[in-house]
Amino acid sequence: MDTIEHGVVGQGPLDPEQETRSCLPSAGAALWGAAAGAGGWWLAVWARSYCDAAFEPAGIFVLNVEFPMIVTGGVLVGLMALALGRRLAPGRTAGRTGVRIVLVVVATVSLGWWFFAQEGTLDGYPGDSGLCPASNVPPQWPDWIPA
């Protein structure tokens, strides 16, 4: 009589090496990366508009052209961090999953933060609002996070 194990009639347990992978971790890493990239872009737009530094039509155009690039970059960084996490911590335990999540979050948030620091705070650009110092970092930005 055939046995039913793992949803397949007549086969024993699946070999862990042949176990199929769900696409959910990859989709989650890609979505998180896209959100982190979009968040970094939004912070850059906010800083430029608040300080009125490079917020003329040419500067806005550049930010709009860079939006798909930073979102795509966030997706790629998220997927690469997930792949690195799979390489560093193979298997499917909670601790190993935590390592992968931390890698994805740190890598993608770092990309968004870098974009904000490079494109949002244009040091020395003459701003017209008078609300920001010469560094063009809005005063609401926490001092403990470098920009």
Side-chain angles (χ1 to χ4, degrees):
M1 185 161 179
D2 288 332
T3 60
I4 298 177
E5 293 185 31
H6 299 286
V8 180
V9 176
Q11 293 183 357
L14 293 174
D15 182 16
E17 295 296 321
Q18 297 175 348
E19 189 173 335
T20 59
R21 286 195 174 150
S22 171
C23 67
L24 289 178
S26 298
L31 286 174
W32 180 263
W41 179 84
W42 180 84
L43 282 173
V45 170
W46 166 72
R48 282 191 181 191
S49 67
Y50 186 82
C51 297
D52 198 23
F55 206 64
E56 64 272 353
I60 295 170
F61 177 76
V62 168
L63 283 174
N64 287 334
V65 167
E66 289 174 339
F67 179 73
M69 291 186 281
I70 190 66
V71 170
T72 303
V75 168
L76 294 176
V77 166
L79 291 174
M80 288 188 304
L82 182 66
L84 178 65
R86 283 183 177 154
R87 178 68 93 178
L88 293 176
R92 290 190 175 207
T93 63
R96 293 175 180 154
T97 301
V99 167
R100 294 174 188 163
I101 290 171
V102 167
L103 278 173
V104 169
V105 169
V106 167
T108 55
V109 168
S110 297
L111 175 70
W113 179 21
W114 171 83
F115 186 79
F116 163 71
Q118 291 297 313
E119 295 294 323
T121 59
L122 304 173
D123 191 16
Y125 193 93
D128 295 335
S129 72
L131 300 173
C132 297
S135 65
N136 286 319
V137 177
Q140 297 92 340
W141 186 255
D143 292 335
W144 55 274
I145 302 177

